Amino acid sequence: VLGTPPDGMEWFVHYTKHWSPTYGKDHNYLPPSEWKLVLLDSLFTLVPSGKNQECFRLWEALEAGSIPVVVNHLQPQCGDSWVPFREPGSKVAFLDEWTELPAFVAARAADAAGTRAWQARLVEWYRGFK
């Protein structure tokens, strides 16, 4: 889905095939200290839904000042838990499908100053939200 990153940008992609309760590279996990550095250096963080629409990745991204990118799918058992994030002033990025991600990133890369301003507004919004 991601394709090739636009000029001047790079993807950080990391996944594991199996869950393990033990952190560490020997289990193909990033230690929390390394993951924190990745988030702090990221303009965007993908926030896939899990059992619930909003998962811990949303809160990690917000705390790090990284713009969360989510797919706008509703899960009937959850209602619409995205309501606070759709309010005016919220800076969470909503896509209809993950296939929109390359075009979204390309558009943001073409407007680097606007993207950095979006990130600054997200940080300010989140300070007031929490």
Side-chain angles (χ1 to χ4, degrees):
V1 169
L2 290 175
T4 304
D7 288 341
M9 298 186 90
E10 60 184 67
W11 308 131
F12 175 83
V13 178
H14 184 85
Y15 66 93
T16 60
K17 292 185 179 190
H18 303 286
W19 181 83
S20 172
T22 306
Y23 286 105
K25 291 184 179 183
D26 53 328
H27 293 282
N28 199 28
Y29 282 4
L30 286 179
S33 58
E34 286 184 40
W35 177 241
K36 178 182 175 181
L37 293 175
V38 169
L39 281 174
L40 290 170
D41 191 42
S42 298
L43 276 172
F44 300 102
T45 298
L46 304 185
V47 180
S49 60
K51 187 173 183 173
N52 298 311
Q53 288 169 279
E54 83 285 354
C55 72
F56 67 93
R57 190 78 63 230
L58 170 74
W59 305 107
E60 287 180 337
L62 291 169
E63 285 291 325
S66 179
I67 301 166
V69 180
V70 301
V71 169
N72 192 22
H73 289 163
L74 299 180
Q75 295 176 346
Q77 73 274 19
C78 298
D80 187 0
S81 59
W82 292 121
V83 168
F85 304 100
R86 293 183 218 269
E87 292 178 357
S90 170
K91 301 304 172 197
V92 174
F94 284 94
L95 304 177
D96 290 325
E97 299 290 335
W98 285 118
T99 55
E100 297 173 4
L101 184 62
F104 169 80
V105 171
R108 300 314 327 146
D111 182 15
T115 301
R116 288 290 181 190
W118 181 355
Q119 186 180 33
R121 289 190 307 269
L122 169 89
V123 169
E124 188 61 32
W125 171 81
Y126 186 58
R127 278 188 195 134
F129 180 81
K130 64 178 188 172

